[in-house]
Amino acid sequence: MKGINYLFVLFLVAIALGSCSGNKTANKVKDSDSLEAGKNAIPDSTVYGVCGDGTAMHTLQLVTDAGDTLTYLMLEEESNENPVVGGLLAGDRLAVVGYKNADKELIVNKVVNLTTLLGKWMSIDKNFEIQEGGVVKSNVKAETNPWTSWKIYNCQLLLNKDTFNIDELGADSLYLENEQGIFTYKRQK
């Protein structure tokens, strides 16, 4: 019995060490299976709201859907990776993942501008429109697996059951990445 408990503790330590693996972002999700509902699911920590007038170069003011006003700090990371995709404009709808530091300040991990994400996107093999309310409309009738729904989960984009990191989101470009590669889309006018 003692040996079984020892093996169980070793198993838990191996899982904990494996999940850390040097990543600074605690909310990074690796594949779509981990997003499925169940006892092992990673809870969605995304906060939704509107970008407030108090947003500045290193601070984000978010008026949440619950009506609270939160101020997040946007720290310069060693990687120089901008945590904001899609820009920050007062009045735009945002999805934010962050954490509290030791001083109880809110720190941004990732911000996705949902207002910028909405619209028609196209590539060589995909032509779709991301609409409000989680709807995706495919503009190609012959597409074999068209995306029909979307949502943000821990600041990752879920299109049906496909999970993507949003690497870049601009006025006319969208770069999505998952284990299968990087996918580039341009905005259709």
Side-chain angles (χ1 to χ4, degrees):
M1 192 68 165
K2 198 176 201 181
I4 293 174
N5 286 338
Y6 180 73
L7 288 175
F8 181 72
V9 170
L10 280 177
F11 176 73
L12 290 178
V13 169
I15 289 175
L17 289 175
S19 67
C20 292
S21 70
N23 289 341
K24 291 184 180 181
T25 306
N27 294 321
K28 190 170 185 176
V29 179
K30 292 188 180 177
D31 60 39
S32 60
D33 292 341
S34 63
L35 299 178
E36 299 294 324
K39 66 180 181 178
N40 295 328
I42 297 170
D44 186 14
S45 60
T46 308
V47 179
Y48 298 92
V50 175
C51 185
D53 291 331
T55 298
M57 186 173 201
H58 296 288
T59 59
L60 166 65
Q61 183 183 60
L62 183 72
V63 180
T64 69
D65 290 349
D68 299 326
T69 300
L70 304 175
T71 301
Y72 287 87
L73 297 176
M74 293 185 286
L75 302 177
E76 302 254 343
E77 298 274 335
E78 295 143 12
S79 66
N80 292 326
E81 184 177 316
N82 188 355
V84 178
V85 292
L88 294 174
L89 186 62
D92 281 359
R93 183 143 174 78
L94 304 176
V96 179
V97 171
Y99 63 94
K100 282 187 181 179
N101 67 9
D103 297 328
K104 304 284 187 208
E105 298 170 313
L106 291 171
I107 309 296
V108 163
N109 272 347
K110 181 103 178 198
V111 178
V112 176
N113 187 321
L114 300 176
T115 303
T116 306
L117 182 63
L118 297 176
K120 296 179 181 179
W121 299 99
M122 64 183 287
S123 69
I124 293 172
D125 62 339
K126 290 272 189 191
N127 190 341
F128 59 96
E129 181 178 3
I130 298 176
Q131 299 178 336
E132 287 190 39
V135 175
V136 176
K137 289 203 173 179
S138 177
N139 297 326
V140 178
K141 302 270 188 235
E143 196 172 324
T144 56
N145 290 321
W147 291 320
T148 58
S149 65
W150 72 276
K151 73 177 182 175
I152 298 293
Y153 196 94
N154 288 324
C155 278
Q156 291 187 313
L157 178 62
L158 273 68
L159 292 165
N160 290 358
K161 289 191 176 190
D162 297 331
T163 303
F164 297 96
N165 288 318
I166 303 172
D167 288 344
E168 189 175 317
L169 173 60
D172 61 354
S173 61
L174 172 64
Y175 298 147
L176 302 177
E177 182 177 3
N178 65 11
E179 61 275 352
Q180 296 170 350
I182 297 174
F183 303 91
T184 304
Y185 302 94
K186 74 175 199 174
R187 192 175 296 275
Q188 186 180 8
K189 297 180 182 183

